[in-house]
Amino acid sequence: MTQARTKLAVFDFDSTLVQGETIDELAAAYGVKDKVSAITNRAMNGELDFFEALAYRVGLLKGMDYSAAIEVCSNLKPMNGGAELIAQLKDAGYYVAVLSGGFTLGTGHFKDVLGYQYHASNILHQVNGKLDGDVGGPMMFQNSKETNILDLQNLLQIGRENTLVCGDGANDLGMFKHADIRIAVGKRGVLDQHATAMVPSSDLSKVAALIGL
């Protein structure tokens, strides 16, 4: 964070910067998608405790080859217009960060692909080359994004009036509280009443015009 910025843009990752949910893609590759995806939908709609849902779903991945998990996360499909939007935001003086309840295997890989400058997400633990069903990291709880966006604002000395957030699920509500520009992505609807703008088609190329870039 050496380059001075006057504004902050914080994105969710799954179903915001990339298409779909990383954990669902991992589950599909491991043959347990039916057990995982229904829980993902309920968690993103705010119907389940985020930590309990995360821990349960990661537990179902126990035994998956770590190399296979890396491959899945490296081959996620970026959302239309995401890299271009991030470049526009950086040109406009934004420091661009990703806060994700997903995994560093995804957010770390796409940091250079999409161009954001910081990411915080969770770690899939592995033993002897296989996932052991455990997860750790700074983004495991319902309030994790709120805590982390406040830390970023304090570190960068940027207030909510100069903060933009963009997300799609109930666990993004915490960071929506601390930004004057709030973009709801996709069709879940759980964030719509809290958003200043919506992108229902999940096409991030429309965001720049919505915020006046």
Side-chain angles (χ1 to χ4, degrees), residues 16-17 79-82 85 166 185 199 202-208:
T16 299
L17 287 178
M79 200 69 80
N80 293 334
L85 173 60
C166 191
V185 179
V199 187
S202 301
D203 184 352
L204 294 179
S205 65
K206 300 178 180 180
V207 172

Side-chain angles (χ1 to χ4, degrees), residues 70-126:
I70 293 172
E71 183 177 1
V72 168
C73 292
S74 299
N75 285 285
L76 297 168
K77 295 181 179 179
M79 200 69 80
N80 293 334
E84 293 79 5
L85 173 60
I86 289 171
Q88 288 175 296
L89 289 168
K90 289 162 66 176
D91 287 344
Y94 282 86
Y95 184 86
V96 182
V98 166
L99 299 180
S100 172
F103 311 111
T104 55
L105 291 181
T107 62
H109 173 80
F110 280 93
K111 180 175 180 287
D112 291 335
V113 175
L114 296 178
Y116 47 87
Q117 293 139 301
Y118 172 85
H119 67 104
S121 54
N122 297 316
I123 298 169
L124 290 169
H125 293 172
Q126 56 96 15

Side-chain angles (χ1 to χ4, degrees), residues 53-187:
L54 175 65
Y56 179 78
R57 287 175 292 163
V58 171
L60 292 173
L61 300 177
K62 183 176 181 179
M64 183 178 187
D65 286 342
Y66 190 63
S67 60
I70 293 172
E71 183 177 1
V72 168
C73 292
S74 299
N75 285 285
L76 297 168
K77 295 181 179 179
M79 200 69 80
N80 293 334
E84 293 79 5
L85 173 60
I86 289 171
Q88 288 175 296
L89 289 168
K90 289 162 66 176
D91 287 344
Y94 282 86
Y95 184 86
V96 182
V98 166
L99 299 180
S100 172
F103 311 111
T104 55
L105 291 181
T107 62
H109 173 80
F110 280 93
K111 180 175 180 287
D112 291 335
V113 175
L114 296 178
Y116 47 87
Q117 293 139 301
Y118 172 85
H119 67 104
S121 54
N122 297 316
I123 298 169
L124 290 169
H125 293 172
Q126 56 96 15
V127 175
N128 297 325
K130 293 185 181 295
L131 299 186
D132 67 2
D134 289 332
V135 60
M139 303 298 298
M140 295 195 298
F141 301 98
Q142 190 70 33
N143 67 342
S144 293
K145 291 188 179 184
E146 182 172 11
T147 300
N148 277 268
I149 194 172
L150 288 171
D151 287 345
L152 281 171
Q153 288 174 326
N154 289 333
L155 181 62
L156 297 169
Q157 293 296 293
I158 294 173
R160 64 170 296 143
E161 70 278 3
N162 289 313
T163 300
L164 173 155
V165 296
C166 191
D168 78 300
N171 68 323
D172 296 315
L173 282 170
M175 64 180 186
F176 267 46
K177 297 178 185 178
H178 302 286
D180 279 2
I181 302 175
R182 304 177 296 278
I183 311 294
V185 179
K187 299 179 180 179

Side-chain angles (χ1 to χ4, degrees), residues 7 37 46 59 67 180 189 197 210:
K7 299 177 182 180
S37 59
S67 60
D180 279 2
L210 287 174

Side-chain angles (χ1 to χ4, degrees), residues 14-66:
D14 294 322
S15 298
T16 299
L17 287 178
V18 296
Q19 299 176 34
E21 299 287 323
T22 302
I23 197 160
D24 289 353
E25 298 302 317
L26 290 167
Y30 194 49
V32 293
K33 184 174 183 179
D34 288 347
K35 295 180 180 180
V36 168
S37 59
I39 299 171
T40 299
N41 286 332
R42 293 183 65 194
M44 291 301 97
N45 286 328
E47 300 171 22
L48 299 173
D49 177 80
F50 185 82
F51 171 74
E52 290 180 0
L54 175 65
Y56 179 78
R57 287 175 292 163
V58 171
L60 292 173
L61 300 177
K62 183 176 181 179
M64 183 178 187
D65 286 342
Y66 190 63

